[in-house]
């Protein structure tokens, strides 16, 4: 089933008959959405083996879909080959340096006149409990991997970044306000934080795990923040 947020983000895009790229295929929601909207071909690219497996299983019966396990900073796709690019919930898992590199790569593979749809999350409000979940997840990953796990970029930041890469802004839409962070979401983020602490020395990891356990006991779900959708067009060759 294609989520409502994906359908709404694609509703005003010329997907029918287009060659498309889902940048950062998670469980294949946008790949399925692009196929349902009549795409001629959909490349779903992810560097996560589990996401690649899940997406392959989901779209295995559709010959228009191709799932590629690759780094989004260096995809196997040719220059100027994609007509519609989507990045649904991708940017928040990229560090600023990785985001810059991914934008460069998506621009490289986009054909003149291509469309780009970026769906992501504004920074959480100061009083949101989910900020505590994100903070402990980032702390664990920063200590274990020397980089944060999550960065919520304001829509205005992505607009400026993509404008600098040559994309023309077309529209901004709110997909969710507030965002429903379900128990499943909360547990997934806390689970990622807990896994990162296992790579830390005991004297550091124990303290973080205590905070993770406390959040796990206190926070079931929360409605907070905004998910937005931005649409861009690459100028056509004169």
């Amino acid at each position: 089933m294609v989520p409502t947020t994906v359908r709404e983000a694609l509703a005003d895009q010329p997907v029918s008959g287009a060659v498309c790229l889902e940048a950062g295929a998670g469980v294949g929601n946008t790949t399925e959405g692009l196929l349902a909207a009549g795409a001629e071909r959909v490349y779903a690219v992810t560097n996560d083996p589990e996401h690649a497996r899940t997406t392959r299983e989901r779209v295995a019966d559709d010959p228009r879909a191709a799932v590629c396990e690759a780094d989004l900073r260096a995809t196997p796709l040719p220059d100027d080959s994609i007509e519609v690019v989507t990045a649904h919930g991708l940017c928040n898992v990229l560090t600023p340096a990785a985001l810059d590199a991914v934008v460069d790569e998506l621009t490289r593979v986009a054909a003149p006149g291509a469309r780009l749809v970026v769906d992501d999350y504004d920074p959480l409000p100061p009083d949101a409990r989910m900020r505590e979940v994100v903070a402990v997840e980032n702390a664990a990953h920063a200590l274990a991997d020397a980089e944060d796990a999550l960065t919520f970029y304001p829509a205005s930041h992505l607009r400026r970044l993509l404008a600098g890469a040559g994309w023309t802004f077309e529209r901004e839409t709110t997909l969710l306000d507030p965002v429903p962070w379900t128990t499943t979401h909360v547990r997934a983020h806390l689970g990622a934080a807990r896994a990162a602490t296992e790579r830390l020395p005991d004297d550091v990891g124990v303290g973080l795990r205590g905070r993770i356990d406390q959040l796990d006991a206190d926070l079931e779900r929360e409605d907070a923040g905004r998910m937005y959708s931005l649409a861009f067009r690459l100028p056509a060759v004169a």
Side-chain angles (χ1 to χ4, degrees), residues 31-199:
T31 292
E32 186 175 356
L34 291 165
L35 293 170
E40 176 184 305
R41 183 72 163 163
V42 180
Y43 296 97
V45 179
T46 176
N47 66 351
D48 186 309
E50 182 64 21
H51 288 171
R53 182 189 65 78
T54 301
T55 302
R56 283 193 187 98
E57 291 175 353
R58 185 169 180 173
V59 298
D61 295 333
D62 197 319
R64 297 173 295 159
V67 180
C68 306
E69 191 176 327
D71 191 326
L72 279 168
R73 295 169 292 189
T75 72
L77 301 171
D79 293 357
D80 305 335
S81 59
I82 303 297
E83 295 168 297
V84 176
V85 182
T86 65
H88 188 83
L90 168 67
C91 297
N92 69 90
V93 299
L94 299 176
T95 64
L99 177 61
D100 288 346
V102 169
V103 167
D104 288 345
E105 179 67 359
L106 298 185
T107 305
R108 179 188 71 79
V109 304
R115 307 296 185 95
L116 168 64
V117 179
V118 177
D119 309 323
D120 230 281
Y121 304 91
D122 272 328
L124 287 159
D127 60 347
R129 292 293 308 280
M130 271 301 297
R131 285 177 67 98
E132 301 176 55
V133 174
V134 171
V136 76
E137 184 177 359
N138 279 344
H141 279 85
L143 290 167
D145 307 321
E147 61 181 31
D148 288 346
L150 298 169
T151 305
F152 292 145
Y153 299 96
S156 58
H157 176 86
L158 296 184
R159 285 180 60 171
R160 288 193 298 269
L161 179 65
L162 286 156
W167 292 88
T168 299
F169 172 74
E170 294 202 315
R171 65 105 174 107
E172 177 175 338
T173 301
T174 296
L175 298 176
L176 294 170
D177 189 6
V179 176
W181 300 97
T182 66
T183 301
T184 299
H185 292 131
V186 173
R187 298 292 177 269
H189 285 289
L190 292 175
R194 191 175 284 110
T197 67
E198 298 298 331
R199 304 194 297 276

